Amino acid sequence: QVQLVESGGGLVQPGGSLRLSCAASGSIFSINTMGWYHQAPGKERELVADITSSGSTYYADSVKGRFTISRDNAKNTVYLQMNSLKPEDTAVYYCAADVETWVGSSRWWGQGTQVTVSS
């Protein structure tokens, strides 16, 4: 069993910053790609950014230049630094990780953390 625990969401004014964290724990052999998705009300869940175990990153066009994804492999933790936040960034943010365990490789999800950008 694998658990992903997110933290760092909240309410912030436009132009402000937040840092999300997601720590994986459990029966983990290794973690491949880790990433962040968001889901706004009435919309589908979308990939925001992800990072491979070797550090290669991907960003959605809407967040390029504003968000930075990073990870600490020793702590099985991924971070999302969000700067210059806009109201349209408001959503529930979910952490995802492709984890190798003794039964094979599976994608695991966090419970989600709310990010609200509003004045």
Side-chain angles (χ1 to χ4, degrees):
Q1 191 74 3
V2 175
Q3 299 82 38
L4 270 61
V5 178
E6 299 144 342
S7 60
L11 173 64
V12 64
Q13 292 186 342
S17 297
L18 284 174
R19 188 189 194 214
L20 306 182
S21 299
C22 171
S25 62
S27 302
I28 297 171
F29 286 171
S30 63
I31 303 179
N32 298 315
T33 300
M34 303 184 80
W36 291 94
Y37 292 70
H38 69 195
Q39 187 169 20
K43 295 187 177 182
E44 293 187 353
R45 192 173 297 188
E46 298 177 332
L47 176 63
V48 175
D50 65 21
I51 183 168
T52 67
S53 57
S54 59
S56 296
T57 58
Y58 163 86
Y59 295 96
D61 287 343
S62 59
V63 306
K64 283 180 180 177
R66 300 190 298 123
F67 291 9
T68 302
I69 190 169
S70 60
R71 65 190 282 176
D72 184 332
N73 291 330
K75 296 181 179 180
N76 289 335
T77 299
V78 63
Y79 307 95
L80 187 67
Q81 178 67 43
M82 304 186 294
N83 298 329
S84 302
L85 282 160
K86 304 175 181 180
E88 51 263 44
D89 295 318
T90 295
V92 178
Y93 282 72
Y94 296 91
C95 169
D98 295 329
V99 181
E100 296 279 349
T101 66
W102 68 279
V103 295
S105 179
S106 300
R107 168 154 292 195
W108 296 83
W109 293 90
Q111 78 285 357
T113 185
Q114 177 70 45
V115 171
T116 302
V117 184
S118 176
S119 55

